[in-house]
Amino acid sequence: MSDQRETHDSTDDGLDLARRDFLKGIGATATVAGSASVLGDDLLGMDGLEVVDDPIGSYPYRDWEDLYREEWDWDSTARSTHSVNCTGSCSWEVFVRNGQVWRESQAGDYPQFDEDSPDPNPRGCQKGACYSDYVNADHRVLHPLRRTGERGEGMWERISWDEALTEIAEEVIDAVQDEEYDAISAFTPIPAMSPVSYCSGSRLTSLLGGVGHSFYDWYSDLPPGQPITWGTQTDNAESADWYHADYIIAWGSNINVTRIPDAKYFLEAAYNGTKRVGVFTDYSQTAIHCDEWIGPDPGSDTALALGMARTIVDAGLYDEAHLKEQTDMPLLVREDTGKFLRASEVPGVDVDVERADHVFVMADAEGELRVAPGSLGARDGQHDETASIELDFDPQLAVDRTVSTADGSVAVRSVWNRLREELSTYTPEFVTEETGVGRETHQEIAREFAEADRGKIIHGKGVNDWYHNDLGNRAIQLLVTLTGHIGRQGTGLDHYVGQEKIWTYEGWSKLNSPVPSRSVPTTLWTYYHCDVLDNADAETTRRVQEAIDNDWMPLYPSEREDGSRPDPRIMFIWRGNYFNQAKGNVAVEEQLWPKLDLVVDVNFRMDSSAMYSDIVLPSASHYEKYDLSMTDMHSYVHPFTPAVEPLGESKTDWQIFRELAAKIQELARERDDVVPVQDRQFDREIDLESVHEDFVRDWESDEEGRLADDREACEFILENSTETNPPDSDAQITFDDIDGTDEDNPERVRAVGDHWTSDLEEGEPYTPWKRYVQEKNPWPTFTGRQQYYIDHDWFLELDEELPTHKRAPTLQDRAEYPLNYNTPHGRWSIHSTWRDNEKMLRLQRGEPVVHLNPDDMDARDIEDGDTVRIYNDLGSVEVQAKQYPSGEPGTARMYFAWERFQFPGRGNFNSLVPLYMKPTQLVQYPEDTGEHLYFRPNYWGPTGVNSDVRVEVEPVDESDGSGGGGDE
Amino acid sequence: MSQSDEGDTVDLAEGIDHQVAMVMDLNKCIGCQTCTIACKTNWTEGGGREYMYWNNVETKPGPGYPKDWEDMGGGWNESGEERTPGELPDEEEYGTPWDFNHEEIMYEGSDEPLRPMSDAASWGPNWEEDEGAGEYPNSYYFYLPRICNHCTHPSCVEACPRSALYKREEDGIVLVDQDRCRGYRYCVEGCPYKKVYYNAMKKTSEKCIFCYPRIEGEGPDGEVRPPSCAADCPPQLRLVGYLDDEEGPIHKLVNEYEVAVRLHPEYRTEPNVYYIPPFAPPQHSERGESLDAERIPRNYLEELFGPKVNEALNTIERERNKVERGEESEVMEMLTTEDTADQYRLEVFDDAEE
């Protein structure tokens, strides 16, 4: 087959070229055969091209192959990862050529610890695979910059580090001297992605008396149902545990897009006998790889979950023993007040504790009233490992009776009976009507889930961005509780949104705030300082004000003695893009931003927050520093190590804030007016004259100057955490052990501290809740049990004492704005990082797009590729329309986090999203003491709301210019 | 031709000792394009290669990259002896690699949005991402990663009047001799998969080289590495090895279980990249019930993968049922990433030949 019989009329160009260029590198021994040669003897004779007899298998002229071999070459490699707000925590081998970062590839260096699961390697995604673009990008910030134009205009002057730090330090000193230290805000998200960089700025902020911002609640990543029901922020199995499930429901968690490094466990579970069901409003990128997909109407997931719960209860498929021991289902509730019946109210119930009014009551099989073990009043604080919920009697689930109390006879019902009454609403007909999911289908899935040996729900942002997210969370959580799919390998409800937890919590925490420090729920802070209270409905305003007045939620700057409250004054932003990602983007720009005298952004790239800052400080890229990386998707701790020196004048985050501390100290000592300031909240003085010394001191060992550089700060974290330095053990992990040199690779953490809910078991993926389910410690809730009934006054007033389905509040008129507006996390960026990356944009459409169902496009005369305007009463943005037949009709879907400068007129995907929050998420519970729910940053606080937003879309007449009425 | 002990034969091109091959499991492809980026940063970042995607991932059904490549001819006629005429894609069908105006916006005060600086951003290598076909809720789509197939019967090789394309004896990799090539582009026309690209800067054609410097261990560390697209794939959906390695999973999946099938076998170039065909959740009724009806039409899959796709899908279903019942399945085991280090059998023939 080697003879080349076909002839072509070569182009003139081609022949000319062929004549001109004599082939180089052809072996002299090659024969000139080729009577049947393509080009004929003429040409070959003329240019001396030697004929190849058989290009299949015996091609003689292969020296040229070195061309590509020479391209596969580098000078050195380093081990790093990426400090982005992503749960990936991936490992990368960074190649350096001629002193520059050339490219990166999967390091694949995680040790396998679970032989029953697929290989954990590799973990990186396409974005990580081109982070090197940012190292050398046009948009890299290389020098300290001071704004010369308006905020956002992109006009800068280059200034020296000394000028920049001096200007910032003067402002900081003034604020502290004015006793407005709590008007200094510091926003940086997610310590797990790079705890040292996180701590750099917040350590300084703590020392200055400034305010650290929450992020997990603000980004609407926190599932409020978890602190409500399980008394814990969130705790999740690492993704390797998915493989141990027999039945997985991916509920609003678009794993194949947002959990690319972990998707393997979900995909390969299919080859291990696991059934995978996807619950998504669209036929999503994860739905396509499920065994069954159901598509509830947007905002109706709670009704679906409660319908499934009803099926499970009606079919008798619930785990009765689990409900009796582990949940509040047997607890008795007074019919008159809706409050739990307390042991203190029932004479004759034997309870020997101080706080009998915090002790709950159940009825045993004989109808005797018994104290519920584990109640808050019978244990020592929220966490008490000496207490137990193990039962020595058999409580009744279904109770409907009267009891004699000190106030006389009172009707009571068990939570179980109340729940059954609530569930009775969710008939198959109602569920189908409300959700669009077939009556047979949702019941079948409910039964299959209940009957599986190990069932798991992977729960995502798709069901968490709603106003009533707490109700949705509680309803979906109910499914794993009813079935007892919790607290064992391969079970549970894993909510993977943001990295809320850091394995080395203790070390991080000590590095972060060596002194008592302020935190604020960012949703409330933003809401308040954007003056939304002036415009909200009366009830919301009343409740928000009450929560602030009751000190249920802190707000800074704090109210002064004369009743005034200063505006925020200085804001530091690093490792995040607050300005771009803020819901209520219009209000943030128009109301909040003018209040800030100084906005400082520390960044390696010019993002929207940097663009709208006054001073931008150039930080080292992820390949130019030391740090640590962790995630709750896996149990390894692993390093950033520098592949190259920081480019231009950039410095590591640690160095930048340390040098700022030094500048503050230097100027404070120079100025005559600087004296230590007594903190109005904490028993400490804010002493600017020692702030640098305090920054670099190891407060644990009192060693002066120890924490001068980032690698030493890494070591501090590892040294001071149970996970990497377990007490009474010589199993310490040091930075040297994991720094990527020689065979020093990532290591699995050694143990877990008490901010986790299970122990770490050798050879098994981490799976939460075992301390409660298996060891029978009380759950850290009011009742000591998984608590589905919340008898807080506000919950009772709003009929939310049990999970219930409520329709979304109407923020925009449905008739005027007929489309749901949804801004999910897409595959092309981690929030705004990579949104502006050329390589990524070339694999999209180069500009923001909105995904529309073709029917909605037809109805509006929109074609694929058209420019459209999306608008509501808050704002309007122009983007390209993309048809998405798998999107449900009635939804405009814009994968989020496009930067402001990617829109004409600098709108933003968040310009259409209001600032809104649900007052029940501002409460303290119990109302008086708050052990169960109390403000703790990223743990309990109001979440932002993204999804209850409506818009309309219309084509933009592009011949019409800017809409100014051109007529041609 | 390779002969095993049992006398089974694995069809290789005549004169080829061993044939590299890949099996891509479409049920693990999530369209993340990490392969695309890995390939690009390795080979096609500059020097006229910017627009090339030696590896691309396209949403199917869909026109793919270059646009409507499946309608462009090439390959062989029914007898397998004469080449079928093919077309040369034009620039718009590839899409141009857009440049952006970062600097103007970020540092020079421009109030334009960040956009491709060329006016004609109307097509690109992933323009119809996630679109597919059908109507909600019964729409369907899946991802198809594509590299050069390093065919056993490559029409690109035959198309070159200068014999500048060839198939390596030791591993069957198809290459364009960059010294000998003069950029006539007959190979581009002749390849029915449109996996040869013309480099207008160099005036030669270039294509996927199966990362031969990596599989040869030619880097400074001397390590044998699988092709970048496979090594960096997060769900590890690619098995890489030799078709004639009869102990390896590729041979078993292709020849023994016949669950891995060729893309467009009717082009008759005999590709050495094979696909585990996709399954999908069933369709919904108007009342939101799951139906006993396949979502991806079989005739579409037959169009893509030929009639063998039916038996392949049936076998996969049978094997999945086995593991669901708790039985062993060698097929399911081979498709599971037990150990990435063992997954790539690239050195199996080294000892024998050295």
Side-chain angles (χ1 to χ4, degrees):
Chain A
M1 68 151 285
S2 63
D3 287 350
Q4 302 198 356
R5 296 175 200 288
E6 203 151 335
T7 54
H8 284 281
D9 294 326
S10 297
T11 61
D12 287 348
D13 272 2
L15 288 176
D16 286 349
L17 269 171
R19 287 190 189 100
R20 272 200 309 273
D21 299 9
F22 186 82
L23 265 170
K24 296 179 180 102
I26 292 180
T29 54
T31 51
V32 182
S35 57
S37 157
V38 189
L39 300 175
D41 290 342
D42 274 3
L43 178 58
L44 292 173
M46 280 173 69
D47 77 351
L49 182 72
E50 313 218 22
V51 164
V52 173
D53 271 346
D54 184 3
I56 308 290
S58 53
Y59 187 78
Y61 313 118
R62 292 180 46 185
D63 290 351
W64 76 273
E65 285 178 14
D66 287 346
L67 174 80
Y68 292 122
R69 290 190 187 104
E70 281 156 18
E71 293 185 31
W72 179 233
D73 192 24
W74 60 91
D75 302 322
S76 63
T77 64
R79 166 62 166 70
S80 198
T81 175
H82 303 120
S83 172
V84 285
N85 183 358
C86 169
T87 54
S89 190
C90 308
S91 63
W92 292 92
E93 184 175 19
V94 183
F95 294 81
V96 178
R97 204 155 68 178
N98 301 323
Q100 288 206 322
V101 172
W102 163 41
R103 65 186 295 268
E104 56 276 86
S105 70
Q106 307 264 16
D109 55 6
Y110 300 107
Q112 185 157 9
F113 62 85
D114 172 16
E115 287 179 4
D116 300 329
S117 293
D119 192 334
N121 298 298
R123 285 189 58 86
C125 73
Q126 87 278 36
K127 299 170 287 289
C130 63
Y131 179 80
S132 48
D133 286 0
Y134 273 129
V135 179
N136 304 311
D138 287 351
H139 33 305
R140 179 80 192 263
V141 183
L142 292 173
H143 310 282
L145 299 174
R146 182 199 285 135
R147 171 170 69 84
T148 57
E150 295 297 308
R151 284 178 179 163
E153 214 179 340
M155 299 287 281
W156 309 95
E157 61 177 333
R158 181 175 159 181
I159 56 176
S160 70
W161 271 105
D162 192 61
E163 279 177 278
L165 295 177
T166 301
E167 188 167 329
I168 299 164
E170 294 283 7
E171 291 273 352
V172 167
I173 294 168
D174 288 345
V176 174
Q177 291 307 111
D178 294 346
E179 300 197 20
E180 291 199 356
Y181 42 83
D182 59 351
I184 302 172
S185 268
F187 185 87
T188 192
I190 319 287
M193 65 167 156
S194 51
V196 170
S197 289
Y198 182 103
C199 291
S200 60
S202 40
R203 183 175 175 89
L204 177 59
T205 305
S206 301
L207 294 169
L208 295 173
V211 180
H213 278 254
S214 71
F215 42 84
Y216 187 50
D217 43 1
W218 163 239
Y219 286 144
S220 204
D221 291 353
L222 169 75
Q226 297 210 13
I228 290 173
T229 305
W230 292 333
T232 302
Q233 175 191 36
T234 318
D235 203 10
N236 303 310
E238 59 185 304
S239 55
D241 189 54
W242 303 351
Y243 197 71
H244 293 276
D246 299 309
Y247 202 97
I248 302 178
I249 301 178
W251 203 316
S253 178
N254 199 358
I255 296 158
N256 292 347
V257 161
T258 62
R259 297 292 169 263
I260 290 170
D262 307 287
K264 175 173 44 187
Y265 295 113
F266 183 76
L267 298 163
E268 294 193 350
Y271 300 147
N272 194 34
T274 304
K275 178 165 180 177
R276 301 148 319 143
V277 175
V279 185
F280 301 101
T281 54
D282 62 330
Y283 180 56
S284 72
Q285 300 87 343
T286 302
I288 67 169
H289 287 317
C290 286
D291 301 306
E292 193 154 351
W293 162 61
I294 51 179
D297 295 337
S300 72
D301 299 83
T302 310
L304 176 64
L306 292 173
M308 289 168 65
R310 179 190 196 272
T311 300
I312 290 167
V313 171
D314 281 2
L317 296 172
Y318 54 91
D319 182 340
E320 190 174 325
H322 183 82
L323 294 179
K324 286 177 174 176
E325 180 186 83
Q326 294 281 328
T327 77
D328 61 348
M329 296 302 161
L331 299 184
L332 304 183
V333 176
R334 291 173 63 129
E335 289 286 276
D336 54 352
T337 59
K339 296 275 182 179
F340 283 116
L341 182 68
R342 314 294 166 105
S344 57
E345 297 169 327
V346 195
V349 170
D350 182 26
V351 55
D352 179 26
V353 296
E354 242 172 70
R355 295 164 75 194
D357 58 340
H358 284 43
V359 173
F360 306 94
V361 179
M362 322 197 273
D364 68 15
E366 286 74 44
E368 289 284 312
L369 297 186
R370 307 283 290 257
V371 162
S375 301
L376 181 64
R379 59 183 211 261
D380 183 17
Q382 197 190 13
H383 295 272
D384 181 359
E385 286 186 13
T386 63
S388 171
I389 51 174
E390 196 158 11
L391 294 164
D392 56 6
F393 60 93
D394 182 25
Q396 295 179 38
L397 277 181
V399 182
D400 187 349
R401 58 179 277 187
T402 57
V403 295
S404 306
T405 71
D407 311 328
S409 178
V410 167
V412 294
R413 272 192 301 159
S414 58
V415 172
W416 177 247
N417 273 21
R418 284 177 163 258
L419 177 72
R420 294 197 64 155
E421 185 190 339
E422 171 66 29
L423 293 180
S424 68
T425 315
Y426 301 91
T427 62
E429 295 72 27
F430 174 82
V431 170
T432 297
E433 178 67 23
E434 193 68 15
T435 69
V437 178
R439 51 172 294 156
E440 299 305 327
T441 298
H442 82 262
Q443 292 186 89
E444 178 69 14
I445 290 169
R447 285 190 294 265
E448 286 175 359
F449 182 72
E451 286 170 344
D453 183 28
R454 291 166 194 272
K456 185 187 271 296
I457 295 173
I458 300 174
H459 184 268
K461 201 163 171 61
V463 282
N464 207 56
D465 277 0
W466 303 83
Y467 180 79
H468 289 302
N469 56 2
D470 45 3
L471 294 173
N473 297 160
R474 291 162 74 195
I476 298 172
Q477 285 168 263
L478 182 60
L479 296 174
V480 299
T481 299
L482 284 174
T483 52
H485 288 323
I486 187 166
R488 286 182 301 139
Q489 295 303 136
T491 68
L493 180 145
D494 297 324
H495 174 81
Y496 299 112
V497 191
Q499 297 183 79
E500 78 293 351
K501 276 193 174 164
I502 173 169
W503 287 107
T504 56
Y505 176 83
E506 296 153 286
W508 161 73
S509 174
K510 286 171 180 164
L511 187 66
N512 192 56
S513 40
V515 294
S517 60
R518 294 181 167 73
S519 305
V520 74
T522 300
T523 311
L524 177 63
W525 181 86
T526 305
Y527 189 94
Y528 187 89
H529 293 299
C530 284
D531 307 321
V532 182
L533 274 183
D534 301 345
N535 306 307
D537 62 277
E539 179 177 331
T540 299
T541 301
R542 177 177 65 80
R543 289 194 191 273
V544 172
Q545 199 60 58
E546 198 177 324
I548 296 170
D549 293 346
N550 288 349
D551 281 335
W552 287 351
M553 287 288 146
L555 179 64
Y556 295 109
S558 60
E559 195 176 283
R560 304 311 197 221
E561 280 177 10
D562 64 0
S564 69
R565 191 188 291 274
D567 286 335
R569 183 161 161 174
I570 300 174
M571 188 161 187
F572 290 98
I573 304 170
W574 73 107
R575 301 166 65 261
N577 194 356
Y578 172 85
F579 188 75
N580 199 65
Q581 304 300 99
K583 288 160 270 284
N585 212 256
V586 175
V588 168
E589 183 181 4
E590 293 178 0
Q591 307 297 323
L592 171 61
W593 233 236
K595 293 177 181 173
L596 295 165
D597 296 337
L598 177 66
V599 182
V600 178
D601 192 86
V602 178
N603 219 324
F604 60 84
R605 74 185 180 100
M606 191 53 85
D607 66 11
S608 296
S609 296
M611 286 276 278
Y612 284 79
S613 294
D614 304 308
I615 290 181
V616 185
L617 300 177
S619 65
S621 77
H622 306 159
Y623 296 161
E624 299 164 342
K625 65 178 184 182
Y626 289 103
D627 212 323
L628 298 168
S629 173
M630 284 158 269
T631 173
D632 59 352
M633 306 297 294
H634 66 54
S635 46
Y636 306 104
V637 55
H638 63 118
F640 294 75
T641 69
V644 291
E645 289 291 306
L647 204 65
E649 289 189 277
S650 62
K651 299 171 191 266
T652 66
D653 295 320
W654 190 261
Q655 195 180 357
I656 290 170
F657 283 102
R658 178 174 66 73
E659 290 183 7
L660 178 58
K663 181 57 78 179
I664 293 169
Q665 176 173 301
E666 175 195 328
L667 296 180
R669 288 178 178 183
E670 280 171 27
R671 276 167 61 160
D672 298 333
D673 59 331
V674 177
V675 290
V677 173
Q678 177 62 44
D679 190 296
R680 70 172 61 78
Q681 184 175 354
F682 307 117
D683 180 21
R684 67 175 287 259
E685 284 186 334
I686 301 164
D687 185 355
L688 299 181
E689 291 183 318
S690 67
V691 73
H692 178 254
E693 284 164 14
D694 292 342
F695 187 96
V696 296
R697 180 191 314 130
D698 177 344
W699 289 59
E700 296 304 304
S701 68
D702 268 340
E703 185 184 340
E704 299 293 338
R706 178 190 173 188
L707 299 175
D709 69 42
D710 49 1
R711 184 163 175 150
E712 207 46 49
C714 296
E715 207 66 87
F716 176 92
I717 289 176
L718 295 172
E719 200 174 285
N720 285 289
S721 302
T722 302
E723 287 71 15
T724 43
N725 191 11
D728 313 319
S729 154
D730 55 5
Q732 184 176 358
I733 300 173
T734 67
F735 199 84
D736 279 345
D737 295 332
I738 55 170
D739 69 359
T741 59
D742 305 322
E743 297 299 306
D744 294 332
N745 285 328
E747 298 210 19
R748 194 171 196 226
V749 297
R750 301 284 196 239
V752 297
D754 57 14
H755 60 294
W756 300 88
T757 63
S758 293
D759 292 331
L760 192 70
E761 291 170 49
E762 204 165 318
E764 299 278 2
Y766 177 83
T767 308
W769 315 120
K770 290 179 183 174
R771 288 178 182 164
Y772 312 125
V773 175
Q774 294 184 18
E775 292 166 35
K776 321 235 186 260
N777 291 339
W779 291 75
T781 61
F782 195 9
T783 59
R785 308 160 159 273
Q786 301 179 59
Q787 191 171 330
Y788 285 89
Y789 191 87
I790 303 295
D791 69 347
H792 190 287
D793 292 337
W794 285 17
F795 282 61
L796 291 165
E797 286 163 28
L798 294 165
D799 296 323
E800 296 186 10
E801 63 274 17
L802 284 167
T804 187
H805 170 59
K806 288 185 170 181
R807 294 227 173 137
T810 305
L811 304 182
Q812 282 92 19
D813 181 65
R814 280 181 173 264
E816 211 174 330
Y817 304 113
L819 299 173
N820 293 304
Y821 179 60
N822 191 6
T823 55
H825 197 302
R827 63 158 66 92
W828 291 109
S829 69
I830 298 297
H831 314 120
S832 60
T833 313
W834 287 288
R835 258 302 179 211
D836 56 349
N837 173 276
E838 191 172 87
K839 241 182 231 123
M840 301 288 95
L841 288 168
R842 286 175 179 173
L843 289 168
Q844 305 167 69
R845 292 189 174 187
E847 61 180 12
V849 293
V850 61
H851 288 60
L852 295 169
N853 179 280
D855 292 347
D856 294 328
M857 293 171 75
D858 289 347
R860 290 165 179 77
D861 211 14
I862 295 167
E863 285 185 27
D864 186 81
D866 283 356
T867 301
V868 296
R869 180 179 297 119
I870 315 176
Y871 63 97
N872 62 16
D873 45 16
L874 291 167
S876 161
V877 290
E878 280 183 21
V879 298
Q880 185 182 144
K882 176 174 160 65
Q883 66 173 7
Y884 180 43
S886 289
E888 68 281 14
T891 291
R893 178 176 273 102
M894 176 149 56
Y895 289 103
F896 80 161
W898 299 97
E899 296 275 8
R900 289 175 69 102
F901 48 76
Q902 291 177 286
F903 295 85
R906 302 291 190 265
N908 174 286
F909 66 100
N910 268 333
S911 301
L912 306 169
V913 179
L915 269 172
Y916 214 66
M917 66 186 171
K918 187 171 176 181
T920 48
Q921 295 174 17
L922 297 162
V923 304
Q924 174 172 295
Y925 180 67
E927 288 91 331
D928 50 352
T929 49
E931 288 90 341
H932 179 168
L933 297 174
Y934 61 100
F935 170 70
R936 213 173 129 185
N938 311 309
Y939 204 106
W940 176 246
T943 59
V945 178
N946 296 315
S947 291
D948 292 292
V949 178
R950 309 193 66 81
V951 296
E952 177 55 307
V953 177
E954 64 182 19
V956 172
D957 181 358
E958 289 180 84
S959 65
D960 195 26
S962 58
D967 56 6
E968 290 297 308
Chain B
M1 207 65 73
S2 152
Q3 206 78 23
S4 78
D5 295 344
E6 292 81 30
D8 297 335
T9 57
V10 178
D11 281 334
L12 302 186
E14 210 171 322
I16 302 300
D17 294 340
H18 304 293
Q19 175 63 54
V20 292
M22 230 185 238
V23 169
M24 302 196 200
D25 182 354
L26 298 185
N27 294 300
K28 290 205 284 183
C29 185
I30 56 177
C32 71
Q33 309 267 5
T34 309
C35 49
T36 307
I37 298 301
C39 175
K40 181 148 276 303
T41 63
N42 226 322
W43 304 117
T44 63
E45 287 250 68
R49 296 178 191 159
E50 294 85 348
Y51 88 95
M52 298 178 195
Y53 290 89
W54 292 358
N55 179 101
N56 76 298
V57 181
E58 57 200 55
T59 300
K60 286 290 171 196
Y65 165 83
K67 187 178 187 177
D68 295 321
W69 61 269
E70 287 160 292
D71 301 332
M72 289 182 181
W76 303 91
N77 71 1
E78 276 183 46
S79 72
E81 283 168 14
E82 275 187 44
R83 292 197 302 107
T84 308
E87 290 167 29
L88 205 58
D90 59 31
E91 199 180 331
E92 289 80 58
E93 286 159 333
Y94 289 110
T96 50
W98 312 311
D99 288 318
F100 290 82
N101 47 344
H102 288 91
E103 280 194 75
E104 289 89 323
I105 290 162
M106 295 171 175
Y107 299 106
E108 293 165 16
S110 163
D111 57 6
E112 290 291 305
L114 182 81
R115 286 288 153 90
M117 289 198 282
S118 54
D119 292 334
S122 57
W123 189 256
N126 194 26
W127 192 261
E128 301 210 342
E129 180 183 41
D130 296 346
E131 289 191 22
E135 286 180 22
Y136 185 93
N138 292 323
S139 55
Y140 57 98
Y141 62 99
F142 57 90
Y143 305 108
L144 182 72
R146 303 202 299 122
I147 61 168
C148 166
N149 292 303
H150 299 278
C151 302
T152 293
H153 190 24
S155 52
C156 57
V157 170
E158 180 86 2
C160 182
R162 291 176 66 87
S163 300
L165 285 92
Y166 63 98
K167 204 166 166 57
R168 302 209 309 184
E169 180 183 12
E170 67 271 32
D171 53 20
I173 291 175
V174 174
L175 294 176
V176 184
D177 181 335
Q178 294 298 300
D179 284 343
R180 193 171 172 104
C181 174
R182 284 295 171 275
Y184 298 164
R185 283 161 275 176
Y186 295 115
C187 53
V188 182
E189 288 175 3
C191 172
Y193 299 94
K194 293 293 169 267
K195 276 293 172 190
V196 193
Y197 304 86
Y198 176 63
N199 185 330
M201 197 180 288
K202 287 173 65 183
K203 306 271 190 287
T204 61
S205 292
E206 293 192 79
K207 59 179 284 299
C208 160
I209 58 172
F210 211 82
C211 284
Y212 69 79
R214 293 172 57 106
I215 67 172
E216 291 168 352
E218 281 291 332
D221 58 2
E223 217 178 285
V224 170
R225 302 196 193 208
S228 268
C229 56
D232 279 9
C233 173
Q236 290 289 291
L237 63 88
R238 300 178 190 220
L239 296 164
V240 183
Y242 293 92
L243 191 63
D244 47 318
D245 167 13
E246 297 189 21
E247 299 307 308
I250 294 179
H251 173 72
K252 288 181 182 172
L253 292 168
V254 171
N255 292 316
E256 203 173 303
Y257 291 101
E258 300 187 18
V259 290
V261 292
R262 282 170 164 159
L263 176 64
H264 288 301
E266 77 280 10
Y267 296 163
R268 295 179 194 83
T269 60
E270 300 175 31
N272 287 303
V273 173
Y274 297 83
Y275 295 93
I276 306 291
F279 47 84
Q283 294 191 42
H284 290 177
S285 73
E286 276 181 21
R287 290 157 64 183
E289 304 288 6
S290 286
L291 296 169
D292 186 16
E294 285 191 3
R295 179 173 288 269
I296 308 174
R298 276 293 171 104
N299 61 6
Y300 177 68
L301 292 176
E302 286 173 20
E303 230 174 79
L304 273 190
F305 300 110
K308 287 179 78 175
V309 75
N310 291 305
E311 207 36 56
L313 281 168
N314 294 345
T315 304
I316 291 165
E317 192 181 350
R318 233 176 12 248
E319 297 297 315
R320 283 198 65 191
N321 290 339
K322 270 163 69 178
V323 290
E324 209 179 323
R325 292 192 303 265
E327 297 166 27
E328 300 277 302
S329 160
E330 192 183 18
V331 174
M332 297 293 101
E333 267 171 42
M334 287 188 289
L335 296 178
T336 302
T337 318
E338 282 172 9
D339 185 349
T340 44
D342 284 352
Q343 178 164 347
Y344 303 108
R345 295 168 54 91
L346 288 164
E347 290 166 89
V348 282
F349 296 121
D350 287 3
D351 292 345
E353 279 150 35
E354 276 168 15

